[in-house]
Amino acid sequence: MSQSPDLNLSSIVDLPVVEREWGQYKVLHSGDGFTVKELIINPKKRLSMQRHKYRSETWNLVVGQADIVTNLCTASDPFDGAFVHHLHKENPFVIPSNTWHQCRND
């Protein structure tokens, strides 16, 4: 396997892990205007429903299963009328800015 000269795989293993009630994450790379994170969402756990006014997100499933709940509404209940999207490997899912979203491992 060839390796990019800019990528040091040994440094990825040593990155700090941040524990959360839903699992854990670590920041793999940060650049000008973007951050790449690895999230591990434990079974039967989910992140909070959230939205970001100025930031979009792209989710890539690497292993396992996960769903993303999204809603473009501005109503007080972001779950009202929400859509469930099943993530698949090698099929990135883009969440536009200002879109309610929640990733879950049910």
Side-chain angles (χ1 to χ4, degrees), residues 19-58:
E19 299 288 335
R20 292 288 187 250
E21 65 182 34
W22 45 261
Q24 64 187 32
Y25 77 90
K26 58 183 166 182
V27 175
L28 301 178
H29 185 75
S30 288
D32 186 22
F34 73 95
T35 301
V36 177
K37 294 180 183 177
E38 174 189 68
L39 281 73
I40 298 174
I41 303 171
N42 292 333
K44 306 297 181 197
K45 296 292 184 175
R46 53 185 65 190
L47 282 67
S48 63
M49 183 65 109
Q50 55 190 294
R51 67 179 169 180
H52 315 290
K53 188 171 185 178
Y54 300 108
R55 173 169 56 98
S56 63
E57 295 183 0
T58 302

Side-chain angles (χ1 to χ4, degrees), residues 3-22:
Q3 181 174 326
S4 167
D6 296 77
L7 181 63
N8 183 347
L9 294 178
S10 63
S11 67
I12 291 175
V13 175
D14 297 331
L15 293 172
V17 173
V18 179
E19 299 288 335
R20 292 288 187 250
E21 65 182 34
W22 45 261

